[in-house]
């Protein structure tokens, strides 16, 4: 409704999930570039294009309109866990390779990049246990089946605020607004950032005047107090970018991410 007000017309949301968002993004590629269909995507749709074939070229097939928010990942443990900090987690992963297990989304072939970065930059090794959703991860941690949860902070927010889980650190460039007392990984000495920025894109060929209209509307929407409150409720972080900055971010991602994936043992295509 916030964006609708600034566009002056209603927006109908149609969820097209699957394959980290690549199914819906491939659908968007085939739509007419007349402004009738745009896409709200996370960075996952670009990262998956680096590790498996998808039905689009992320840089050539879309107009980038604006960025609005980001999902932030973090490390959390049950309240009775002996692990008190990210540094202690790393120490245990060094002392007992794969002796500490963690729940996260992904597959054996496509594990969470944030954990692979932590391993690569510290020499620690952890046992990855894939799960489909945050609720299952938290249940596994609370029942003692895994030691750590590495997931978007929104998935653990309820358990953290009830005291059942403790958040050790967030994998972001800045502290998460809702939990200002929780440090970033960088603040604890580990250069690990794992976030998923989100934004609006459109099929290639969108007329410049329409692209500018969407960009202005999105940027104005992100300035609204209502938007800040929505991010707080949904446990999202602000990520406000104009069209040029959004495209530059994705271009930089495609320059830097494949070498990084190779360095941590993931194989980009």
């Amino acid at each position: 409704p916030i964006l609708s007000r600034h566009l002056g017309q209603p927006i109908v949301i149609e969820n097209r999930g699957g394959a980290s968002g690549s199914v819906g993004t491939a659908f968007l590629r085939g739509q007419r570039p007349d402004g009738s269909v745009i896409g709200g995507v996370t960075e996952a749709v670009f990262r998956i294009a680096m590790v498996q074939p998808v039905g689009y070229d992320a840089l050539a097939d879309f107009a980038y309109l604006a960025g609005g928010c980001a999902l932030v990942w973090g490390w959390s443990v049950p309240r009775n866990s002996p692990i008190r900090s990210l540094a202690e987690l790393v120490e245990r992963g060094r002392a007992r390779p794969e002796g500490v297990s963690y729940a996260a989304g992904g597959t054996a072939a496509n594990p969470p990049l944030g954990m692979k970065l932590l391993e690569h930059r510290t020499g620690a090794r952890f046992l990855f246990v894939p799960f489909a959703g945050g609720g299952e991860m938290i249940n596994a941690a609370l029942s003692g089946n895994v030691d750590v949860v590495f997931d978007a902070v929104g998935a653990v927010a309820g358990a953290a605020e009830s005291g059942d889980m403790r958040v050790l650190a967030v994998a972001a460039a800045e502290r998460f607004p809702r939990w200002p007392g929780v440090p970033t990984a960088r603040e604890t000495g580990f250069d690990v950032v794992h976030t998923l920025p989100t934004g609006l894109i459109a099929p290639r060929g969108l007329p410049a005047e329409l692209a500018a209209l969407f960009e202005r509307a999105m940027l104005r929407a992100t300035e609204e107090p209502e938007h800040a409150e929505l991010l707080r409720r949904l446990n999202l972080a602000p990520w406000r970018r104009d069209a040029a900055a959004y495209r530059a971010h994705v271009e930089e991602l495609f320059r830097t991410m494949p070498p990084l994936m190779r360095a941590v043992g993931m194989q980009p295509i």
Side-chain angles (χ1 to χ4, degrees):
I2 307 173
L3 183 59
S4 294
R5 288 201 303 268
H6 289 281
L7 285 173
Q9 63 183 44
I11 296 173
V12 178
I13 298 175
E14 180 179 343
N15 290 312
R16 286 181 175 262
S20 297
S22 62
V23 172
T25 307
F27 169 81
L28 178 66
R29 176 188 179 274
Q31 302 307 297
R32 293 191 305 273
D34 58 7
S36 60
V37 181
I38 61 173
V41 299
T42 76
E43 195 169 284
V45 305
F46 310 130
R47 293 186 185 183
I48 194 171
M50 300 176 194
V51 297
Q52 69 182 55
V54 294
Y56 52 87
D57 183 318
L59 294 177
D61 289 339
F62 303 107
Y64 288 81
L65 305 176
C69 61
L71 289 85
V72 174
W73 261 245
W75 296 265
S76 61
V77 295
R79 62 184 172 190
N80 61 353
S81 169
I83 302 171
R84 310 302 300 180
S85 68
L86 187 59
E88 288 187 17
L89 174 63
V90 169
E91 288 174 8
R92 288 169 180 263
R94 287 170 173 158
R96 294 190 301 124
E98 297 196 343
V100 177
S101 60
Y102 72 94
T107 65
N110 186 27
L113 179 63
M115 286 300 295
K116 299 302 291 183
L117 278 175
L118 186 65
E119 291 181 336
H120 176 67
R121 290 175 173 163
T122 65
R125 291 293 179 269
F126 305 99
L127 178 64
F128 172 38
V129 183
F131 282 84
E136 295 177 5
M137 298 180 204
I138 293 167
N139 289 337
L142 293 177
S143 62
N145 291 322
V146 295
D147 299 303
V148 181
V149 171
F150 182 68
D151 197 21
V153 295
V156 300
E161 294 182 355
S162 71
D164 291 329
M165 298 285 289
R166 287 185 287 108
V167 182
L168 304 177
V170 293
E174 299 177 352
R175 293 195 178 199
F176 188 61
R178 188 162 181 170
W179 301 327
V182 176
T184 68
R186 284 176 172 171
E187 288 177 312
T188 62
F190 308 109
D191 185 15
V192 177
V193 173
H194 183 104
T195 61
L196 284 183
T198 71
L200 298 180
I201 63 175
R204 179 183 61 185
L206 184 72
E209 62 273 17
L210 286 179
L213 174 67
F214 283 116
E215 179 186 28
R216 286 194 303 271
M218 182 65 167
L219 294 178
R220 288 172 180 168
T222 60
E223 294 174 342
E224 295 269 9
E226 185 181 346
H227 179 260
E229 173 59 20
L230 183 62
L231 296 190
R232 189 196 69 79
R233 291 206 318 269
L234 296 177
N235 295 292
L236 299 170
W239 195 79
R240 187 176 186 271
R241 299 292 189 278
D242 63 18
Y246 189 14
R247 170 167 277 280
H249 171 79
V250 176
E251 290 174 346
E252 179 69 9
L253 190 73
F254 274 87
R255 282 193 296 270
T256 60
M257 191 66 74
L260 186 60
M261 287 179 168
R262 281 188 282 269
V264 303
M266 300 169 69
Q267 296 300 318
I269 58 177

